[in-house]
Amino acid sequence: MKTNVSMDRRTLLKTAAAAGAATAAGVLNLKAPFVMTARAEEAIKLGVLLPKSGPYTVQGENGHNGAQVAVDDFNGHVLDRPIQIVWLDEPNPQTTQQNMHKLVEEEKVVAVQGGISSGDVLAIMPIAERAKILLIATGPNATEITGKNCNRYTFRVDLPNKVTVNTVYPSLKEYGKKWYFVSASYAWGIDAYNQMKDVLVKDGGTVLGFDQAPLGTTDFSSYILKLRQANPDVVYVGIGGSDLTNFLKQLHEIGMTRKMPLSSPIINDSDLWAAGPEAAFGTFPKLWNYTGAHNTPRSQQFAETYQQKNGQPPEVEAWQDWFGTTAILTAIKETKSTDSRQLIGFLEQHKFEGYKDMPIFFRDFDHQLIQPTLVASVKEKITEKYDYFDITAEFPKEASQLDAFYGSQQEIGCPLGSF
Amino acid sequence: MAELIVSQIVNGLVLGFLYVLIAIGLSIIFGMLGVVNFAHGVFFALGAYFALSLRDTVGPWAIVLAPIFVGAAGMLIESSLLRPLYSKEPLLGLFMTFGIALFLEELIRTVWGAGGRPFDPPGMLSGFIIWGPVLVTKYRLFVLVLTAAILFALWLFLQRTRYGRIIRAGSRDAEMVSMLGINLPRVFTFVFGLGTALAGAAGVLAAPLWSVVPSMAEGAIMPAFVVVTIGGLGSFGGAVVSGLLVGVSVALTIQFWPAASSAVMYALMVLVLLLRPRGLLGESWERFE
Amino acid sequence: MSGLRRVLHPILIAAVVFAVLPFALPRFGSAGTLATEIAIYTLYAMGFNLLLGYTGLVSFGASAFFGTASYAAGLASVHVTANPFLCILFGTVFAAALGLVLGAIILRRRGIYFSLLTLAFTQLFYEIAFKWTDFTGGENGLQGVTRPVLTSNLAYHFFVAAVVLVAMYAIWRIVHSPFGRVLQAIRDNRQRVQCLGYNVANYQLGAFVLSAAVIGLAGSLLTFLIQSVYADNLSWQHAGDPVMMTILGGIHHFLGPLWGSIIFIVLSDQLSSMTEHWWLFFGALLIGFILLSPEGISGIYLRLIGSPRWTLTAESLPPRPAALGLATAIGTHAAATDPVLTVRDLNKRFGSLIVAANVNLEVRAGTLHELCGATVLGRARLTRSSVGYWRSVTYFTVLLATAGMASFGRC
């Protein structure tokens, strides 16, 4: 009897110890980010800086999911080492900078990609240069990133404002030359207005009116009253995100949907999805769309894989980050190295085939991704939940015109320099 | 041009009514509980999101049920999180609503997703009416009428019923009311629920107009503060007058100097606070000073 | 125990923490540069707490000074001189001057009106900074700030730590000085301090300017840490940063801002890398702290060691001053027949309820007076009116007949 009890006690203690160890292990697992594991040495880490909260969360999620698809395309391995994505938040320039430090110094990533907001990217570009690490900016549009602020370590996937203007203008001008502009009253919005205004005026058009709306304006009804009074041929807005959704909803409310064409320098699918099939309309320059004849088999494969994994089709941001990650992984694979200089050398020379219907490449004197762009119009009748766009045109028509479309070296004025 | 200005003024009035509906809840809560409810914007957003989810199941009844659910959530939060703080340092209530705002907005994002959700106005209310120089959309007219009705009902409640009298007295001197034998904690909970339900109702009405995103909470809280400050903390009439004033000011600023249309709100707020801090129709209550 | 307490001077504790942080943080997976940010935000929260914990003023304007000073220092660096020390000095002085101007305007209001004014000004400044792209760089921020000296992260960290510690020590000395004591008295009982003859408005303005200067110093240091300036910190969403840090650390504790900023910065760093929905945990944490420990982590610690009290100042009593400046004894100077306190034409009403009408009263030295009135409340209010409790008492003059003491005026 006694031995039984002591046996029980021993077993009890053993199980308690085991349970304790398991909990500790569980706790340690939870604390994995706190403690560096030895296993980290063998994995190839890719840093991703995209928003986890705030107004661009949807783009952040899309981008991260897109990057993950790229990793899966490589079966999770490159150079016989596992690939690990480290996703840190991009909430504002200051914190993004700190997170960049973290990626470079603590996580020791091989390369960093991401950046929705130009301000955030401008903040981390100097760090990429100082730390001599490859940075692929997939999301921002500011001209300076491949212009006067450029550096050897930064590449950009998204379209600069000038290219979007030239893409969509030919489609819009046939409706008339009297345009009305509404822009968010900060640098990007005003730049959007200036870029398009220059093109319009040079072509003999007139600006009927230009209104600035504070960022975060919820109610555009007063702006729309002014717009309606002016009766323009085309409305061009430098507004994005939920502000654009509000604008579209309120246009619909007053019955002005599709009365005249609407456009803006960039468009996120989720802004239109949020406006709903009744209110969404417009003709926009777009980097990529998940439906459309222009889609190569490879990009189509990406769209299908993404939809399978995430339950809804990819936004354009997802393609941008998918391509960015694929570019990095391809560079690693081909150069058989993780040294940033080698990767950069590779990216400056390589032509990526099969992603779009002409080869695309990073230009060597400014590191801008040279790619054809699309003109996407919202369908007249939207029947499926996410299928909003018809692709009406592609620019440029010939691969030989690609380089000129993005501006000459003189125009860009990027002092790239050496390593 | 004159026609356009008249239209803008009418548009501003309608916008103003929506601001009033958002702000009146804040004002009531502040008057009674002395708590600056930083979470007010989130309850506004909750109203829109509840309506979104309820619309598929109960159809038009969502417009009534959603605010009720928001009020219930408000009462639950008040009794569990705010009540323990009344006997303590007054600042803690303010900080608590701050924490609640952070938590609830992220909860909305987690449950309903970060992307905007489409929300159309009911079919019969689409289109607009032209009435002489005035152009107003049918839905906004509906909002105006409904908001006016809600405000009138609220006014009747506060002025003519016994419970309303308790609330008005409690805003003046809560201690005295409790000394008269009235169960103050229960009154507080009810008032908080009422205030948040009003915010939720505003959210439901605004959902077809403004995009339904988690950050819509932030678009509501600052105008609410401005309106309540200008009108007078705790004053019903003040909230109505200042809401309309702010709405019209913003509309006219958009007409003539659009870039300043948000700054004009804060400038007005500063002006009122400096020249007449109790607001246009507020009273000089020592407990605020 | 008291000997140990004397050794563990708060500045010493802070110094040790700042020295250890850049080495400790990487072991937990955070960047080493976060340590410098923690030091800067400690100073920021401390400047904020000068107003909240010590003077009792709830100001949402801290971020206005933080952001504006950052811009001042940054713009000086880009346009005037590359010397970071001069730029930091300029940012601090600029913030102090701004504090003087704003304080003179805003402090005319009290209570919730004061707080709302600070919030409105913060938002106005943000709008200006965000839109004035040509000057401030708008949303892309002010770029091109360089740090030609102290280039390594560690060197700059120790510089910042040194500056912060000196500033903290200055604050420690100030809150123990007569000026600081009066501030804390104002927090506890404003009317009494006013009736004692202190010019409360001037003291509050002094506190406001001091707070602005400290916060400005923090903002200028930040400019050279990230070598750019952004408008973000001015927005009302960030106005809550020092508030949250102070609550988490403990409002009524000298080192509260230090612990609060460590928790705030490290936790948000760790949580955001673990999950997308980290605000859920953060919001819940804040709510939990407010409910369970209103004095934050300092409160929890002090309760654990069994001495729950405020630690805004050292525990010892200040030495008795050689001479008390303000009040003089009246006993020996007044003749027995001369009134010591005269009340003329005292009126007090609450709406239509008249509490006192045309009350005249004379109190002589060494005599006892009985107030007879209809209600207890009425008599109490009369007394309170006589000694200046109600601000809105009209039509009455109080003369205090003592030699060498100026008229009381209206307090």
Side-chain angles (χ1 to χ4, degrees), chain C residues 6 31 33 48 60-61 95 106 111 131 136 177-178 255 320 323 340 344 360 368 387 401:
Chain C
R6 222 173 289 142
T33 44
F48 166 77
F60 294 111
I106 299 178
K131 300 224 176 95
T136 64
S177 70
L255 285 182
R320 190 179 202 285
V340 181
R344 293 214 189 99
N360 294 285
L368 209 60
V387 298

mmCIF file of all heavy atoms in Angstrom, chain C residues 6 31 33 48 60-61 95 106 111 131 136 177-178 255 320 323 340 344 360 368 387 401:
data_model
loop_
_atom_site.group_PDB
_atom_site.id
_atom_site.type_symbol
_atom_site.label_atom_id
_atom_site.label_comp_id
_atom_site.label_asym_id
_atom_site.label_seq_id
_atom_site.Cartn_x
_atom_site.Cartn_y
_atom_site.Cartn_z
ATOM 1 N N ARG C 6 18.301 55.556 -0.328
ATOM 2 C CA ARG C 6 19.063 56.751 -0.672
ATOM 3 C C ARG C 6 20.056 56.446 -1.789
ATOM 4 O O ARG C 6 20.327 57.272 -2.638
ATOM 5 C CB ARG C 6 19.806 57.265 0.566
ATOM 6 C CG ARG C 6 19.738 58.775 0.685
ATOM 7 C CD ARG C 6 20.306 59.291 1.976
ATOM 8 N NE ARG C 6 19.480 58.977 3.125
ATOM 9 C CZ ARG C 6 19.973 58.630 4.328
ATOM 10 N NH1 ARG C 6 21.261 58.574 4.519
ATOM 11 N NH2 ARG C 6 19.168 58.343 5.327
ATOM 12 N N ALA C 31 15.630 45.705 -32.088
ATOM 13 C CA ALA C 31 16.807 46.421 -32.559
ATOM 14 C C ALA C 31 17.440 47.212 -31.420
ATOM 15 O O ALA C 31 16.754 47.707 -30.542
ATOM 16 C CB ALA C 31 16.423 47.364 -33.689
ATOM 17 N N THR C 33 18.784 50.079 -31.619
ATOM 18 C CA THR C 33 18.456 51.511 -31.696
ATOM 19 C C THR C 33 17.177 51.841 -30.938
ATOM 20 O O THR C 33 16.908 52.999 -30.634
ATOM 21 C CB THR C 33 18.255 51.940 -33.156
ATOM 22 O OG1 THR C 33 17.472 50.953 -33.819
ATOM 23 C CG2 THR C 33 19.580 52.096 -33.862
ATOM 24 N N PHE C 48 5.718 65.554 -20.277
ATOM 25 C CA PHE C 48 4.264 65.513 -20.214
ATOM 26 C C PHE C 48 3.798 65.359 -18.777
ATOM 27 O O PHE C 48 2.853 66.008 -18.326
ATOM 28 C CB PHE C 48 3.759 64.357 -21.083
ATOM 29 C CG PHE C 48 2.335 63.987 -20.849
ATOM 30 C CD1 PHE C 48 1.315 64.758 -21.373
ATOM 31 C CD2 PHE C 48 2.000 62.869 -20.103
ATOM 32 C CE1 PHE C 48 -0.006 64.426 -21.157
ATOM 33 C CE2 PHE C 48 0.689 62.530 -19.888
ATOM 34 C CZ PHE C 48 -0.321 63.306 -20.416
ATOM 35 N N PHE C 60 -3.219 67.581 -23.984
ATOM 36 C CA PHE C 60 -2.996 66.741 -25.155
ATOM 37 C C PHE C 60 -2.053 67.425 -26.122
ATOM 38 O O PHE C 60 -1.915 67.002 -27.256
ATOM 39 C CB PHE C 60 -4.329 66.446 -25.853
ATOM 40 C CG PHE C 60 -5.247 65.623 -25.026
ATOM 41 C CD1 PHE C 60 -6.408 66.152 -24.515
ATOM 42 C CD2 PHE C 60 -4.943 64.303 -24.754
ATOM 43 C CE1 PHE C 60 -7.252 65.397 -23.733
ATOM 44 C CE2 PHE C 60 -5.790 63.538 -23.966
ATOM 45 C CZ PHE C 60 -6.942 64.095 -23.467
ATOM 46 N N GLY C 61 -1.443 68.520 -25.679
ATOM 47 C CA GLY C 61 -0.602 69.291 -26.588
ATOM 48 C C GLY C 61 0.847 68.866 -26.601
ATOM 49 O O GLY C 61 1.650 69.455 -27.299
ATOM 50 N N ALA C 95 10.811 75.352 -28.820
ATOM 51 C CA ALA C 95 9.662 74.760 -28.149
ATOM 52 C C ALA C 95 9.289 75.553 -26.902
ATOM 53 O O ALA C 95 8.110 75.761 -26.610
ATOM 54 C CB ALA C 95 9.960 73.308 -27.778
ATOM 55 N N ILE C 106 -3.683 79.516 -23.937
ATOM 56 C CA ILE C 106 -4.501 78.372 -23.545
ATOM 57 C C ILE C 106 -4.793 78.346 -22.051
ATOM 58 O O ILE C 106 -5.864 77.914 -21.618
ATOM 59 C CB ILE C 106 -3.812 77.054 -23.961
ATOM 60 C CG1 ILE C 106 -3.638 77.012 -25.469
ATOM 61 C CG2 ILE C 106 -4.603 75.858 -23.506
ATOM 62 C CD1 ILE C 106 -2.932 75.769 -25.939
ATOM 63 N N GLY C 111 -9.528 73.158 -16.664
ATOM 64 C CA GLY C 111 -10.239 71.892 -16.668
ATOM 65 C C GLY C 111 -10.314 71.279 -18.052
ATOM 66 O O GLY C 111 -9.339 71.223 -18.786
ATOM 67 N N LYS C 131 0.560 69.841 -44.749
ATOM 68 C CA LYS C 131 0.215 70.449 -46.023
ATOM 69 C C LYS C 131 1.317 71.355 -46.570
ATOM 70 O O LYS C 131 1.413 71.563 -47.766
ATOM 71 C CB LYS C 131 -1.058 71.284 -45.880
ATOM 72 C CG LYS C 131 -2.238 70.467 -45.430
ATOM 73 C CD LYS C 131 -3.479 70.815 -46.214
ATOM 74 C CE LYS C 131 -4.610 69.916 -45.806
ATOM 75 N NZ LYS C 131 -5.456 70.532 -44.776
ATOM 76 N N THR C 136 8.067 71.761 -45.103
ATOM 77 C CA THR C 136 8.253 70.649 -44.169
ATOM 78 C C THR C 136 8.431 69.310 -44.862
ATOM 79 O O THR C 136 8.694 68.316 -44.216
ATOM 80 C CB THR C 136 7.027 70.517 -43.252
ATOM 81 O OG1 THR C 136 5.908 70.171 -44.067
ATOM 82 C CG2 THR C 136 6.735 71.798 -42.529
ATOM 83 N N SER C 177 12.212 71.944 -5.521
ATOM 84 C CA SER C 177 12.432 73.350 -5.198
ATOM 85 C C SER C 177 11.110 73.988 -4.802
ATOM 86 O O SER C 177 10.054 73.401 -4.991
ATOM 87 C CB SER C 177 12.984 74.061 -6.432
ATOM 88 O OG SER C 177 11.954 74.154 -7.398
ATOM 89 N N PRO C 178 11.154 75.195 -4.241
ATOM 90 C CA PRO C 178 9.895 75.876 -3.902
ATOM 91 C C PRO C 178 8.952 75.975 -5.100
ATOM 92 O O PRO C 178 7.745 75.773 -4.956
ATOM 93 C CB PRO C 178 10.369 77.264 -3.451
ATOM 94 C CG PRO C 178 11.742 77.053 -2.956
ATOM 95 C CD PRO C 178 12.331 75.942 -3.757
ATOM 96 N N LEU C 255 9.809 57.876 -11.839
ATOM 97 C CA LEU C 255 10.321 57.022 -12.909
ATOM 98 C C LEU C 255 9.210 56.360 -13.714
ATOM 99 O O LEU C 255 9.480 55.539 -14.576
ATOM 100 C CB LEU C 255 11.243 55.943 -12.336
ATOM 101 C CG LEU C 255 12.631 56.426 -11.913
ATOM 102 C CD1 LEU C 255 13.456 55.255 -11.420
ATOM 103 C CD2 LEU C 255 13.349 57.104 -13.067
ATOM 104 N N ARG C 320 12.778 73.085 6.708
ATOM 105 C CA ARG C 320 11.949 74.250 6.988
ATOM 106 C C ARG C 320 12.709 75.492 6.513
ATOM 107 O O ARG C 320 13.871 75.674 6.836
ATOM 108 C CB ARG C 320 11.703 74.344 8.485
ATOM 109 C CG ARG C 320 10.660 75.364 8.880
ATOM 110 C CD ARG C 320 10.458 75.370 10.395
ATOM 111 N NE ARG C 320 9.185 75.923 10.770
ATOM 112 C CZ ARG C 320 8.875 77.222 10.756
ATOM 113 N NH1 ARG C 320 9.799 78.094 10.378
ATOM 114 N NH2 ARG C 320 7.694 77.662 11.095
ATOM 115 N N ALA C 323 12.829 81.715 6.512
ATOM 116 C CA ALA C 323 11.762 82.706 6.679
ATOM 117 C C ALA C 323 10.668 82.397 5.679
ATOM 118 O O ALA C 323 10.935 82.091 4.527
ATOM 119 C CB ALA C 323 12.324 84.106 6.448
ATOM 120 N N VAL C 340 -10.270 93.095 11.355
ATOM 121 C CA VAL C 340 -9.239 92.344 10.640
ATOM 122 C C VAL C 340 -9.746 91.883 9.276
ATOM 123 O O VAL C 340 -9.007 91.776 8.317
ATOM 124 C CB VAL C 340 -8.825 91.096 11.466
ATOM 125 C CG1 VAL C 340 -7.745 90.331 10.747
ATOM 126 C CG2 VAL C 340 -8.353 91.518 12.828
ATOM 127 N N ARG C 344 -18.058 93.576 2.554
ATOM 128 C CA ARG C 344 -19.061 94.586 2.208
ATOM 129 C C ARG C 344 -19.840 94.119 0.995
ATOM 130 O O ARG C 344 -19.259 93.672 -0.004
ATOM 131 C CB ARG C 344 -18.382 95.915 1.841
ATOM 132 C CG ARG C 344 -17.690 96.566 2.984
ATOM 133 C CD ARG C 344 -17.766 98.096 2.890
ATOM 134 N NE ARG C 344 -16.877 98.647 3.919
ATOM 135 C CZ ARG C 344 -15.647 99.089 3.668
ATOM 136 N NH1 ARG C 344 -15.187 99.112 2.439
ATOM 137 N NH2 ARG C 344 -14.879 99.524 4.650
ATOM 138 N N ASN C 360 -23.033 92.477 5.058
ATOM 139 C CA ASN C 360 -21.889 93.274 5.509
ATOM 140 C C ASN C 360 -21.388 92.700 6.818
ATOM 141 O O ASN C 360 -22.165 92.311 7.678
ATOM 142 C CB ASN C 360 -22.295 94.723 5.712
ATOM 143 C CG ASN C 360 -22.683 95.368 4.402
ATOM 144 O OD1 ASN C 360 -21.820 95.696 3.599
ATOM 145 N ND2 ASN C 360 -23.975 95.518 4.165
ATOM 146 N N LEU C 368 -14.714 86.477 18.505
ATOM 147 C CA LEU C 368 -15.372 85.274 17.992
ATOM 148 C C LEU C 368 -16.694 85.700 17.395
ATOM 149 O O LEU C 368 -17.452 86.426 18.031
ATOM 150 C CB LEU C 368 -15.587 84.306 19.157
ATOM 151 C CG LEU C 368 -15.611 82.815 18.839
ATOM 152 C CD1 LEU C 368 -14.293 82.404 18.211
ATOM 153 C CD2 LEU C 368 -15.845 82.051 20.131
ATOM 154 N N VAL C 387 -13.973 83.795 2.259
ATOM 155 C CA VAL C 387 -12.558 83.516 2.045
ATOM 156 C C VAL C 387 -12.271 83.167 0.586
ATOM 157 O O VAL C 387 -11.282 82.548 0.272
ATOM 158 C CB VAL C 387 -12.046 82.415 2.989
ATOM 159 C CG1 VAL C 387 -12.177 82.852 4.417
ATOM 160 C CG2 VAL C 387 -12.791 81.123 2.766
ATOM 161 N N ALA C 401 -7.066 94.074 6.869
ATOM 162 C CA ALA C 401 -6.305 95.207 7.402
ATOM 163 C C ALA C 401 -5.131 94.702 8.190
ATOM 164 O O ALA C 401 -5.219 94.411 9.367
ATOM 165 C CB ALA C 401 -7.207 96.058 8.285
#
